[in-house]
Amino acid sequence: MLTQGIELARRRGDRPDERRLLAQRLIALTALGRWEEMLRDTDVLDERGDDIWRDQSLVSLPVVLAARGDADGLERVRGRVGEAGGWGALELAQKIARAVVARERREGREGFDDAYEAAIELVRGSTSEAPPLFAEAVECAFAAGEIDRVEQLIRVVDGFKPAQLLPLLDAEVTRARARLAAHNGDLQTADELFRHAVALFRELGTPFYLARSQLEYAELQVRAGNGGVELREEAALVFG
């Protein structure tokens, strides 16, 4: 639907609507592992305007650059994820994006507290960008050794009514629970939760998030002496 909307906006010559839809599509392209398209759309938004949609595109970049191990790209985007005005959700997302860059650059807890609070607020809003940003906040918490913050993020979602729980958020929370169980040495529970998380991501058709969960599950299997080769090979098709 977004792609059709973009094509329609282009035929009409409606640049503002085209930019809005391009920015909205970035989340889907990231989840689908269509990173070249995602980066190309980001370049279009960056080159052709200085507006809120360009700012939104810059928020999406660190996740993909981190997954690709693109240290140079992260350095370039580092100072460009600025303070947006007039849109609270974007300001919250920018805090998490800055923490992701700091995490990948091994800069300790820089920006972590802001990112943690931003993630809680975004998740409570139950918006479409909340699940991937929740996942990045969890990653930052693990990297910072703030395990209690992972537990607190999960508890926020535990308080949701069923209608509030987006399917992708459900998958990410299950993945977070699995990682937490593995961290605590409960390998049996971690195995069960990773199996469930992998199944949820597969059902949702999100190759990037599926592959990331598969790699983590494979690491658990190696730790338990169970191999994990098939999981790594399938995940490599996305990350490779």
Side-chain angles (χ1 to χ4, degrees):
M1 293 295 292
L2 282 172
T3 298
Q4 293 174 346
I6 290 167
E7 293 172 354
L8 178 60
R10 285 171 175 165
R11 287 199 299 269
R12 293 186 312 197
D14 188 344
R15 286 279 301 281
D17 201 39
E18 176 191 353
R19 293 178 62 77
R20 177 180 63 83
L21 293 171
L22 279 172
Q24 291 178 1
R25 188 170 68 172
L26 296 177
I27 296 173
L29 291 178
T30 299
L32 292 170
R34 291 161 56 181
W35 293 343
E36 295 304 326
E37 292 178 66
M38 184 271 184
L39 294 171
R40 186 164 58 248
D41 284 356
T42 301
D43 286 342
V44 169
L45 289 164
D46 190 22
E47 293 169 0
R48 299 181 186 175
D50 182 7
D51 57 15
I52 198 168
W53 308 119
R54 188 210 65 168
D55 291 341
Q56 184 174 343
S57 74
L58 292 176
V59 163
S60 301
L61 266 176
V63 175
V64 170
L65 296 175
R68 289 165 65 104
D70 188 347
D72 292 338
L74 286 167
E75 176 60 28
R76 287 193 297 271
V77 79
R78 182 184 189 190
R80 305 190 62 207
V81 183
E83 297 289 346
W87 186 8
L90 180 54
E91 292 177 2
L92 295 172
Q94 285 177 321
K95 292 177 180 179
I96 298 174
R98 287 194 291 272
V100 171
V101 175
R103 181 190 76 211
E104 295 301 313
R105 291 177 54 80
R106 306 293 193 271
E107 294 174 348
R109 298 182 75 266
E110 182 175 336
F112 169 71
D113 289 333
D114 286 343
Y116 166 74
E117 296 296 339
I120 287 180
E121 194 165 343
L122 282 169
V123 167
R124 284 175 174 160
S126 297
T127 55
S128 60
E129 68 270 16
L133 293 175
F134 168 90
E136 292 306 318
V138 167
E139 187 70 35
C140 288
F142 273 113
E146 298 280 355
I147 307 304
D148 61 321
R149 298 293 183 94
V150 178
E151 296 169 342
Q152 290 167 13
L153 285 165
I154 291 172
R155 281 200 292 272
V156 171
V157 182
D158 284 343
F160 282 8
K161 297 177 180 178
Q164 294 177 281
L165 187 59
L166 300 171
L168 184 54
L169 182 59
D170 185 20
E172 288 294 1
V173 171
T174 302
R175 171 176 166 248
R177 293 185 199 278
R179 294 187 64 191
L180 188 60
H183 175 82
N184 292 333
D186 187 350
L187 302 190
Q188 181 176 346
T189 298
D191 186 275
E192 294 171 357
L193 288 168
F194 269 125
R195 283 179 184 273
H196 186 39
V198 166
L200 289 172
F201 286 123
R202 196 185 298 281
E203 183 179 352
L204 288 168
T206 53
F208 171 40
Y209 301 136
L210 170 62
R212 184 168 58 182
S213 190
Q214 286 174 319
L215 284 177
E216 293 167 346
Y217 188 18
E219 291 173 2
L220 178 74
Q221 290 189 334
V222 169
R223 182 176 167 187
N226 296 326
V229 175
E230 292 182 4
L231 287 165
R232 290 199 301 271
E233 290 179 347
E234 185 177 351
L237 297 176
V238 172
F239 284 103

